[in-house]
Amino acid sequence: MQTQKQQDSSGEVLSAPQENAADDSQPDLSVVVTDLDDECEANLCAFLTSRFSKGTVFTATGNVAALDFALSENAESPAICYFCLLRPSWCSLPTSANKDENYVPKDYVICFVTMATGVLDYYRDELGEHCKAIQPMLECEVIDVEGLKAYLSQWYDMSVMFACRCVERLGQDVAFLIHVALCGMRLRVTGGGEQLERDLEKADKQARFPYCTAAGRQ
């Protein structure tokens, strides 16, 4: 897939038949969309295959891990990857509501890769929400690859950079946003455009995490 136009961020969507993605066998991973080069793509597939074989990948649970390769030759540290296994929503329905009995459904693995260390762990919820928004696109009978690429290209901008935009827009007034969150007050955003409203809502939600609240009251 295309990602935000930054050389230090990239991503990929892979699929695997459920019959071998759910057990300890090595999954037959195939790439749906990616913007990784061939070498990085092969390295990422090898990493995911290893994790699957160890039984350490669970549905709808985001994971962050350091990879053993970088996205560029000049990088001084390995890349960091967030990956999440998604299962088609209709698989949870009764058997009679599922598709043809001979049809083997596919699981999908969404991967976001960046060279920015110490970042993805703080944005697991936002990255998870981005993955959930992708799921309906993967459940279509015919996947709109270009549409999928377009949405995936926004993962870093939507899931990480919102915090920077809030600080840049609010300046010193960002203290009021933190105060609202720490006091458990309700944030109401009006005006400023949809982008700012979404950014502030995400920043408010993140500031309400238990560890943030605890740190603010110490």
Side-chain angles (χ1 to χ4, degrees), residues 173-210:
D173 288 340
V174 75
F176 292 104
L177 177 66
I178 298 173
H179 177 75
V180 167
L182 295 180
C183 292
M185 301 169 64
R186 181 180 178 183
L187 175 69
R188 182 178 180 182
V189 182
T190 57
E194 293 183 2
Q195 178 72 70
L196 179 61
E197 290 180 15
R198 287 195 299 267
D199 288 347
L200 288 173
E201 289 171 358
K202 289 179 181 179
D204 174 66
K205 180 180 178 181
Q206 190 178 60
R208 292 173 188 271
F209 282 171

Side-chain angles (χ1 to χ4, degrees), residues 10-89:
S10 191
E12 184 164 275
V13 177
L14 306 99
S15 66
Q18 278 186 21
E19 61 183 3
N20 64 15
D23 55 32
D24 293 339
S25 63
Q26 293 190 353
D28 181 18
L29 294 173
S30 58
V31 176
V32 179
V33 289
T34 185
D35 65 355
L36 293 169
D37 60 37
D38 292 342
E39 183 178 357
C40 289
E41 178 186 316
N43 289 334
L44 180 58
C45 285
F47 164 78
L48 292 171
T49 297
S50 175
R51 293 296 294 262
F52 271 107
S53 65
K54 295 177 181 178
T56 57
V57 180
F58 304 99
T59 305
T61 301
N63 300 269
V64 175
L67 303 175
D68 58 0
F69 64 91
L71 296 180
S72 64
E73 295 181 356
N74 300 325
E76 298 180 355
S77 59
I80 307 297
C81 178
Y82 171 94
F83 59 98
C84 183
L85 175 66
L86 297 179
R87 175 153 295 175
S89 57

Side-chain angles (χ1 to χ4, degrees), residues 1-2 13 32-34 108 110 130 133-138 143-154:
M1 86 184 168
Q2 284 287 326
V13 177
V32 179
V33 289
T34 185
Y108 291 92
I110 313 296
H130 202 75
I134 291 170
Q135 185 162 352
M137 304 180 193
L138 300 173
I143 295 177
D144 178 4
V145 174
E146 293 305 316
L148 180 58
K149 285 182 178 180
Y151 187 78
L152 286 170
S153 69
Q154 305 172 48

